[in-house]
Amino acid sequence: MNPAARINPSILAAEVGHLYDACRRVEDAGADEVHIDIMDGNFVPNVSFSPSVVEMARKAVKIPLNVHLMMLHPDQYVDPFCDAGADTLLVHIEADHDAAETLTRIRDRGVRAGIVLNPATPLESISPVAHLCDEVLFMTVNPGFGGQSFIPDPLPRMAELRKRAPDLAIAVDGGLNRETCLRCWEHGANVFDVGSSLFKPEDMATEIAWYRGRMR
Ligand code: DX5
Ligand code: ZN
């Protein structure tokens, strides 16, 4: 049995001119957290939000902010994103940093720490830092853009990690919709960072309620 499902809409899929309203919409729809994607143009070939967007989200909503750093040097940005109001800070194992040190610094700030694996990254790569993680996020697309197709390769890794860690927050991000979310849930994931497929429908609340009904 997985821990309770958490639905975290990703505001990367929102209209950039209406980000404040998008955060309000996410909270009003009954989501658990707001997922905020930070891209630096180096680790991924796209640039998205700065700490000021996290600050804006902090003012817009009361629910936790789940901040995903797609950055080559995430260690240099721990303090700015913690200061901006992140409740969870997720950093990639493939980035250029001492992951153990970065995760420890995040926790020292009183913020939940998470490690992220790209679709091709083996589970063993996080073994040395697993004890420092409050959340492990499996990417099911190559990070950088919303609206890509789901890559199933990490499914067996999720299932393996769930076996090892029954209470861990196991998250998944990329190409999620009703069908792929359920597949991930069946493989042990319980945190769902969902972009396009939650922002497209008129009624996000009904969509989130559908997920809650299926994943318990
Ligand atoms: C991808 C981002 C995702 C993205 C997901 O690089 O990390 O959080 O917003 O978007 P969809 O659900 O559209 O794949
Ligand atoms: Zn993300």
Side-chain angles (χ1 to χ4, degrees):
M1 189 57 196
N2 297 338
R6 297 182 70 77
I7 313 294
N8 302 344
S10 164
I11 59 167
L12 188 67
E15 272 181 56
V16 76
H18 298 279
L19 283 177
Y20 186 92
D21 292 341
C23 293
R24 305 269 331 131
R25 183 179 171 208
V26 164
E27 184 169 66
D28 291 346
D32 293 285
E33 305 169 60
V34 183
H35 183 81
I36 307 178
D37 287 307
I38 311 295
M39 303 179 182
D40 69 347
N42 284 302
F43 184 71
V44 290
N46 195 5
V47 180
S48 62
F49 307 136
S50 67
S52 59
V53 172
V54 176
E55 234 175 274
M56 175 283 294
R58 185 67 292 152
K59 288 181 190 140
V61 297
K62 293 195 171 60
I63 56 174
L65 306 179
N66 183 280
V67 180
H68 174 191
L69 299 186
M70 284 161 271
M71 309 185 85
L72 192 57
H73 298 293
D75 49 319
Q76 296 174 10
Y77 291 87
V78 168
D79 286 326
F81 283 102
C82 289
D83 291 344
D87 296 281
T88 301
L89 208 49
L90 296 137
V91 297
H92 275 259
I93 192 71
E94 305 88 357
D96 185 6
H97 64 141
D98 178 334
E101 196 186 306
T102 308
L103 292 162
T104 303
R105 280 182 46 216
I106 295 170
R107 280 184 158 182
D108 285 350
R109 290 286 320 249
V111 169
R112 294 177 74 249
I115 199 80
V116 192
L117 297 88
N118 279 339
T121 302
L123 187 55
E124 287 60 41
S125 67
I126 64 164
S127 299
V129 298
H131 62 291
L132 300 169
C133 295
D134 300 295
E135 185 165 322
V136 173
L137 168 59
F138 291 92
M139 292 307 299
T140 41
V141 296
N142 288 307
F145 300 90
Q148 303 185 75
S149 301
F150 180 82
I151 298 173
D153 302 20
L155 287 168
R157 286 174 219 140
M158 286 170 218
E160 176 57 33
L161 184 60
R162 175 57 70 215
K163 252 195 265 163
R164 294 184 203 168
D167 300 324
L168 181 68
I170 299 182
V172 61
D173 181 359
L176 294 177
N177 53 37
R178 288 183 174 198
E179 188 235 321
T180 52
C181 271
L182 287 183
R183 280 173 78 188
C184 294
W185 169 256
E186 283 156 14
H187 285 79
N190 71 300
V191 182
F192 303 90
D193 303 329
V194 189
S196 342
S197 78
L198 269 185
F199 275 89
K200 260 189 229 137
E202 283 283 293
D203 187 0
M204 190 187 284
T206 303
E207 199 60 21
I208 290 179
W210 186 91
Y211 285 111
R212 293 208 192 288
R214 293 303 181 99
M215 299 192 286
R216 59 181 170 201

